[in-house]
Amino acid sequence: MTLANQFGPAEFGVYSQALIYASLFSIIINFGTEQTASADMAAYKNSVETMSCFTWLRLIMFGISSIVAYLILSEDGFLLYFVFALALTNFNLSFYYEIRKENSRYSYIHLIERIVYISGAFVLIGFDIISLEYIFMLYAAATIMSLLFQLQDSRVLTSIRMKGLFRRITLVAQHNLPLVITGLAVFTFGGISRIVMDSKLGTETLGIYSAGWQMVTIASIYQAQVVRVWRLQISKAIKEKNIIEFFDFVKTYLIFSVVPICLLAIFFWLSSDWIVRLIFIEEYASLATLLPTFGVLIVVISISGLAEICWIASGKTMIYMVAAVFYGLLLLTILYFFSDGYGMLEFAKVTTFIHTAWMITLFVVWYLRIYPEIKMNSKN
């Protein structure tokens, strides 16, 4: 948000373009490993094998993504450089800390990484040498330092192996493919939809909208950390068909994840004008009309996180994928072909409505089709 004020809407729009493309390639590099690490560990009960398999899969997909990124963005070396700098974060070992039940330790590592990056950004601002080039160089440096520490702290380099893993990697890739397609479909809500906005309303409008989207990002960062705490427990309860433990974990998830996000959403509703005046410069004043809608959206994202855990742990990723692709294509169709006369608020409302419909569909179908199977074979 500070960068948004420093750069202004137009230049921040360029910054947002880089983030969007980097996030798009990150989905391919990650290849669903972040979401399935807990389920894989619950199934195979071998953290070293899970870590080795997932690390090699990420390296392979990074090579493929690098080639694709070069082919697509080679004419814009500036943007290509940014994308590669941002892509480095995909090699974090958060999934390994998660399966070892050391989520809090990784949270501290990630916090320090962010503090280094943010502090460096403020130094650049203080010396009045802030620029997109320096910002992404700083981001890459903070990420590399964090990755090196994670490698030393977890000692994974002494554990990674390749022998006998080819078949395992192939199976994981096949299993995770629906999640990757799903990730690309879900990315339409916060990523591809903004590319469409850029083509319809211009880079400056994209910059304003993306500045407000940082409020969604803040909530999503909190959401991601909370999900790591409950993902393994909920996945294990579903795998073991333990209904009592499942509902206990769901209850605590709602208390510590959804309730705080709801309070934040209410704050957005009641104080949108004050928030925008406090945080942003005058050029972003139109964001005040967007924050209430973004408040609804972050609640939907929080609840959707629980649906994602349940579907992945149940192994029914194909149904999950079909729903995501359907609603993703529906959103893109509406925004691309039927958005003449739309402004930022209409883009935000349509995005939130379609995301809500997708979330409701996931829960209804899971409860009607998957839950009865779990309950029937429950140990309780």
Side-chain angles (χ1 to χ4, degrees), residues 200-201 334-343 346-347:
K200 296 276 188 177
L201 303 177
I334 294 173
L335 293 183
Y336 192 82
F337 294 104
F338 303 101
S339 62
D340 290 344
Y342 276 21
E346 288 74 23
F347 267 81

Side-chain angles (χ1 to χ4, degrees), residues 237-247 370-380:
I238 291 175
K239 292 281 185 184
E240 296 178 351
K241 298 180 175 18
N242 191 323
I243 294 297
I244 293 178
E245 282 194 357
F246 170 73
F247 279 111
I370 310 301
Y371 177 71
E373 297 177 12
I374 299 174
K375 187 175 181 181
M376 185 182 301
N377 299 294
S378 175
K379 295 179 181 179
N380 307 123

Side-chain angles (χ1 to χ4, degrees), residues 351-365:
T351 299
T352 302
F353 177 80
I354 299 297
H355 203 144
T356 303
W358 178 53
M359 179 265 293
I360 293 173
T361 300
L362 288 178
F363 274 114
V364 170
V365 176

Side-chain angles (χ1 to χ4, degrees), residues 157-358:
L157 290 179
T158 61
S159 304
I160 293 178
R161 58 188 179 86
M162 183 64 180
K163 186 178 180 180
L165 281 181
F166 179 77
R167 183 174 179 275
R168 181 97 154 74
I169 292 172
T170 303
L171 290 174
V172 170
Q174 291 175 346
H175 179 267
N176 286 9
L177 181 59
L179 288 177
V180 177
I181 296 175
T182 301
L184 293 172
V186 173
F187 190 64
T188 59
F189 296 109
I192 300 176
S193 63
R194 282 190 285 162
I195 294 177
V196 175
M197 172 184 287
D198 183 29
S199 67
K200 296 276 188 177
L201 303 177
T203 304
E204 183 171 340
T205 300
L206 172 65
I208 296 174
Y209 188 89
S210 295
W213 193 265
Q214 299 307 304
M215 310 299 287
V216 178
T217 301
I218 292 173
S220 298
I221 292 172
Y222 170 78
Q223 170 70 15
Q225 301 305 314
V226 171
V227 164
R228 287 194 179 100
V229 176
W230 275 273
R231 185 158 48 197
L232 181 59
Q233 291 94 327
I234 294 177
S235 297
K236 186 177 179 181
I238 291 175
K239 292 281 185 184
E240 296 178 351
K241 298 180 175 18
N242 191 323
I243 294 297
I244 293 178
E245 282 194 357
F246 170 73
F247 279 111
D248 285 342
F249 288 132
V250 167
K251 181 172 66 176
T252 55
Y253 177 93
L254 294 175
I255 292 173
F256 290 100
S257 177
V258 178
V259 171
I261 293 296
C262 286
L263 294 176
L264 181 60
I266 293 173
F267 181 57
F268 283 0
W269 271 87
L270 297 178
S271 308
S272 59
D273 288 328
W274 178 81
I275 292 172
V276 172
R277 287 198 304 269
L278 176 68
I279 298 177
F280 296 104
I281 60 178
E282 187 176 351
E283 293 174 86
Y284 295 98
S286 56
L287 282 178
T289 60
L290 294 180
L291 285 191
T293 302
F294 283 157
V296 176
L297 181 59
I298 62 175
V299 173
V300 173
I301 291 173
S302 179
I303 299 173
S304 296
L306 177 59
E308 178 186 8
I309 294 173
C310 293
W311 275 102
I312 292 174
S314 302
K316 307 294 184 180
T317 52
M318 189 60 68
I319 300 175
Y320 182 72
M321 178 193 72
V322 171
V325 170
F326 171 78
Y327 283 106
L329 290 176
L330 177 61
L331 176 63
L332 286 183
T333 300
I334 294 173
L335 293 183
Y336 192 82
F337 294 104
F338 303 101
S339 62
D340 290 344
Y342 276 21
M344 290 188 297
L345 181 58
E346 288 74 23
F347 267 81
K349 285 183 176 180
V350 171
T351 299
T352 302
F353 177 80
I354 299 297
H355 203 144
T356 303
W358 178 53

